Amino acid sequence: MSKAKSPVDPFAPIREATLKHRAKHGCGAWPYDNGPLLSALAGAADAKRILELGCALGYTSLSFANGAPKAKIDTIERDPEHIKLARENFAAAGVTKRITVHEGEFAKVVKTLVGPYDVAFFDGGTPVPAVHETLRKLLRPRGLLITANLNHGGSADTVLAALLDAKKWLTAFIDEERETGISIKL
Ligand SMILES: C[S@@+](CC[C@H](N)C(=O)[O-])C[C@H]1O[C@@H](n2cnc3c(N)ncnc32)[C@H](O)[C@@H]1O
């Protein structure tokens, strides 16, 4: 039986293409599994500026752009093949003026960016506390951090503890394994 296609995800074909690319390329381009949720979060935040770490083929950048039509998006990626394919996807969607791909390592590129951002999305490998500290400085006060991959071991727990400071952060935990296990009293 074939898997039902989402009736609400306009970028499902790019997600599919990312999965196929990863299978062939053997890389870390694991697409996030709920672009419409990211669209809704960006829209609810009325985001004008969004920072993404981990562009891959552009599935989540496009989801943000779709949910927040006024937003400009900076996305970071180090893999040249992913950058090329993402730019093609942004051109096909007509959003090249709204999405900028910054080429290079997260840790280096984030230091070159100027805030404030309304939303920051970490979707690289294991979260790195130092990178998240820079993200905190780039976000506006009570900006929205969306961070994936909190189940990736050691340093993730350090990041998690830091993110539970509700005075500093408005945080969405969307990791598949932990999203239902955490609540924050504001
Ligand atoms: C999980 S994928 C991103 C998936 C994408 N957000 C989506 O949902 O389609 C992670 C991406 O981050 C890139 N990446 C991982 N670590 C990086 C780093 N330290 N600096 C720059 N890019 C990195 C990988 O090449 C990969 O394309």
Side-chain angles (χ1 to χ4, degrees), residues 6 8-19 30-39 52 54-66 75 85-86 89-90 99 121 123:
S6 165
V8 292
D9 187 352
F11 306 112
I14 293 177
R15 188 174 186 283
E16 282 297 313
T18 309
L19 287 169
W30 292 93
Y32 182 62
D33 69 355
N34 193 345
L37 173 62
L38 299 182
S39 301
E52 172 180 83
C55 175
L57 274 62
Y59 169 68
T60 43
S61 311
L62 287 164
S63 301
F64 281 128
N66 195 41
T75 180
L85 293 169
N89 288 332
F90 299 153
I99 305 179
F121 177 50
D123 193 24

Side-chain angles (χ1 to χ4, degrees), residues 11 14-15 18 50 52-66 72-77 79 81-103 121:
F11 306 112
I14 293 177
R15 188 174 186 283
T18 309
I50 297 172
E52 172 180 83
L53 278 62
C55 175
L57 274 62
Y59 169 68
T60 43
S61 311
L62 287 164
S63 301
F64 281 128
N66 195 41
K72 293 217 166 167
I73 296 148
D74 290 307
T75 180
I76 308 174
E77 177 57 58
D79 186 308
E81 184 68 14
H82 297 176
I83 292 165
K84 176 178 162 288
L85 293 169
R87 285 183 172 145
E88 288 172 10
N89 288 332
F90 299 153
V95 290
T96 49
K97 287 193 178 148
R98 293 179 53 210
I99 305 179
T100 304
V101 186
H102 299 264
E103 308 184 30
F121 177 50

Side-chain angles (χ1 to χ4, degrees), residues 54-160:
C55 175
L57 274 62
Y59 169 68
T60 43
S61 311
L62 287 164
S63 301
F64 281 128
N66 195 41
K70 292 183 218 153
K72 293 217 166 167
I73 296 148
D74 290 307
T75 180
I76 308 174
E77 177 57 58
R78 68 181 169 197
D79 186 308
E81 184 68 14
H82 297 176
I83 292 165
K84 176 178 162 288
L85 293 169
R87 285 183 172 145
E88 288 172 10
N89 288 332
F90 299 153
V95 290
T96 49
K97 287 193 178 148
R98 293 179 53 210
I99 305 179
T100 304
V101 186
H102 299 264
E103 308 184 30
E105 285 293 320
F106 297 153
K108 276 193 182 167
V109 177
V110 288
K111 287 183 190 156
T112 70
L113 300 174
V114 178
Y117 289 91
D118 303 296
V119 175
F121 177 50
F122 180 89
D123 193 24
T126 303
V128 178
V131 169
H132 278 68
E133 191 54 35
T134 307
L135 290 184
R136 186 172 75 78
K137 288 175 189 152
L138 286 170
L139 273 174
R140 68 167 165 76
R142 293 182 62 77
L144 176 64
L145 174 76
I146 309 168
T147 188
N149 305 335
L150 283 169
N151 57 337
H152 280 206
S155 66
D157 289 332
T158 313
V159 174
L160 189 58

Side-chain angles (χ1 to χ4, degrees), residues 14-29:
I14 293 177
R15 188 174 186 283
E16 282 297 313
T18 309
L19 287 169
K20 282 187 188 147
H21 170 84
R22 188 186 55 76
K24 201 167 150 196
H25 195 201
C27 60

